[in-house]
Amino acid sequence: SNALWEAMVASLPAVVSDIEENKELVESGKNGYIFKVRDENDLAEKIKRLQEEDKKRASIGEASEEKVRENYDIDKVINSLDEFLYRL
């Protein structure tokens, strides 16, 4: 979602549900946390982790920004599309 992308670019660690769209962007424990849908205990546990681990929270935020900037940079996307179309 746009909100998730915006949070990631802002170096904010995300806690997201385990729907496919979120799992494409977030690797649990690396650049955010993924909780099981309808499992409030899992959600609470992931939020608690972020609250308690200052260094981990910062590194997750940095990894989030890096993932978006490396993989979803508009110039890279355009270049990849251009290369793909050229090969056709």
Side-chain angles (χ1 to χ4, degrees):
S1 77
N2 287 342
L4 178 55
W5 282 43
E6 290 170 6
M8 292 175 74
V9 168
S11 297
L12 298 173
V15 178
V16 298
S17 62
D18 63 354
I19 63 170
E20 287 304 314
E21 182 179 279
N22 292 338
K23 292 194 288 187
E24 290 177 13
L25 293 171
V26 176
E27 295 175 55
S28 201
K30 183 176 179 185
N31 68 330
Y33 287 111
I34 299 173
F35 69 92
K36 297 177 194 99
V37 172
R38 296 187 183 95
D39 187 341
E40 63 274 358
N41 292 325
D42 192 30
L43 171 60
E45 187 262 324
K46 300 300 191 317
I47 292 171
K48 187 176 179 181
R49 277 191 204 173
L50 284 177
Q51 288 176 325
E52 294 175 345
E53 301 174 357
D54 292 337
K55 289 182 182 177
K56 180 75 172 176
R57 184 173 56 244
S59 69
I60 285 174
E62 291 168 6
S64 291
E65 179 183 5
E66 184 177 318
K67 178 166 183 130
V68 171
R69 294 201 187 277
E70 285 182 4
N71 296 303
Y72 300 99
D73 177 75
I74 190 66
D75 291 327
K76 288 183 181 181
V77 171
I78 290 171
N79 286 338
S80 294
L81 181 59
D82 189 42
E83 290 173 13
F84 172 77
L85 293 173
Y86 180 76
R87 284 183 269 150
L88 293 178

